[in-house]
Amino acid sequence: METAGDRFGDEIELHAKAGKTLVEGAYETLRREILEGAFEPGAKLRTEELRARYNISGSTMREALTRLLGEALVTSEGQRGFRVAPASLEDFRDLTEVRKLIETEALRQAITLGDEAWESQIVATFYRLSKVEERLAEDPSSAIGEFEERNREFHRALIAACPSRWLHHFIGLLFQQSERYRRMSMAKRTIPRDVHAEHKAIFDATIARDVDLACKLTADHIDRTLTVLRAALEPAGKKPRCKAEEKV
């Protein structure tokens, strides 16, 4: 027989789940809007305005902001609140170099250790990515969200056989940070780029177990976004005179 204590415990559990769901929803929504550029880099994130925007409590909003702080998408100003993490070409150069170092190492290990199940997952994710890349070429604005999801799945599948938990953790963090810059490069693209051909070359080299070529193509692929974004933000034939001019 259910007692009053049992019912009280169930109510507490339901409230806890509801609170977690609200935090998760606020976190996912704000995260997506930051990545999509709804909030400019460096913009002030006022808790009261966000609370009203998402129709949630201030404590729920602060918890969501704290989660984004841990992912380096938001910065804290002590008692002065939160801001969207700044973005600059210098930051993206640094991010690009670190990502190349660890992602190519993870790919090297994955190719060495991967089995048939690993290969099958790469084939499946590449097929799904290719389908959305067809739509991306026709209508970038409507396909970008799905492209990012399938692009992440493909890159994750490539390194899935890497046994290092820490490499996977840091690659995930860096890939997410790169998403903001990838979206900027697509919006401001000035250099022709065949992303599908880049992915196809990486796919072919990986399936062929050509470690050196796969790693080189992956590094070139990561570098290409920096090249495109730099061309879009820097005037032809000129370089920024100081770091302050590199803000994006």
Side-chain angles (χ1 to χ4, degrees):
M1 178 181 294
E2 185 180 50
T3 66
D6 291 333
R7 288 195 297 274
F8 182 67
D10 290 342
E11 288 177 5
I12 290 176
E13 185 177 355
L14 285 172
H15 284 305
K17 288 181 178 178
K20 184 176 181 180
T21 301
L22 286 172
V23 171
E24 190 71 24
Y27 155 77
E28 290 288 352
T29 301
L30 181 54
R31 176 183 176 276
R32 185 183 67 251
E33 290 192 335
I34 289 174
L35 292 174
E36 291 177 351
F39 297 95
E40 291 291 325
K44 181 78 172 178
L45 294 170
R46 295 177 173 82
T47 303
E48 284 304 306
E49 292 180 3
L50 293 173
R51 183 193 66 75
R53 180 186 181 104
Y54 303 134
N55 193 28
I56 55 175
S57 69
S59 60
T60 298
M61 193 68 250
R62 283 189 291 274
E63 190 170 343
L65 285 165
T66 300
R67 286 189 61 178
L68 290 167
L69 181 65
E71 295 183 4
L73 287 173
V74 165
T75 60
S76 175
E77 299 184 301
Q79 298 301 315
R80 293 182 294 175
F82 300 89
R83 287 186 181 274
V84 177
S88 68
L89 283 175
E90 185 58 37
D91 176 66
F92 192 40
R93 286 190 191 102
D94 187 22
L95 178 61
T96 297
E97 290 304 315
V98 176
R99 188 179 163 205
K100 286 192 299 181
L101 282 173
I102 68 172
E103 196 160 330
T104 53
E105 175 56 29
L107 180 59
R108 185 178 299 277
Q109 294 183 27
I111 292 175
T112 302
L113 300 171
D115 56 14
E116 287 186 1
W118 167 73
E119 287 186 1
S120 297
Q121 187 62 22
I122 293 173
V123 171
T125 56
F126 177 71
Y127 175 80
R128 282 170 47 80
L129 177 60
S130 298
K131 288 299 182 181
V132 77
E133 283 174 337
E134 293 174 4
R135 299 197 300 275
L136 187 69
E138 299 170 359
D139 187 4
S141 60
S142 66
I144 181 62
E146 190 175 3
F147 166 78
E148 277 296 333
E149 179 182 348
R150 295 190 183 185
N151 185 45
R152 181 168 54 252
E153 289 175 354
F154 174 65
H155 281 273
R156 188 179 293 161
L158 288 170
I159 63 169
C162 170
S164 172
R165 177 175 68 89
W166 283 106
L167 277 177
H168 284 285
H169 172 74
F170 288 121
I171 287 170
L173 180 62
L174 293 172
F175 195 90
Q176 176 177 268
Q177 286 292 314
S178 299
E179 183 176 341
R180 285 202 300 166
Y181 292 103
R182 282 194 299 276
R183 288 177 180 270
M184 291 178 196
S185 72
M186 288 184 177
K188 302 173 181 288
R189 186 176 299 177
T190 57
I191 297 176
R193 181 179 188 184
D194 190 340
V195 177
H196 174 70
E198 294 173 31
H199 284 143
K200 178 67 163 56
I202 294 169
F203 169 80
D204 288 340
T206 300
I207 294 299
R209 305 283 179 144
D210 190 331
V211 174
D212 291 339
L213 179 58
C215 288
K216 179 185 182 302
L217 291 170
T218 297
D220 291 345
H221 174 65
I222 295 170
D223 252 336
R224 187 67 175 171
T225 302
L226 175 60
T227 301
V228 171
L229 189 58
R230 183 192 295 117
L233 297 174
E234 294 180 357
K238 295 183 179 180
K239 293 185 179 295
R241 289 170 293 178
C242 63
K243 289 184 180 180
E245 293 179 358
E246 289 189 306
K247 298 296 181 183
V248 295

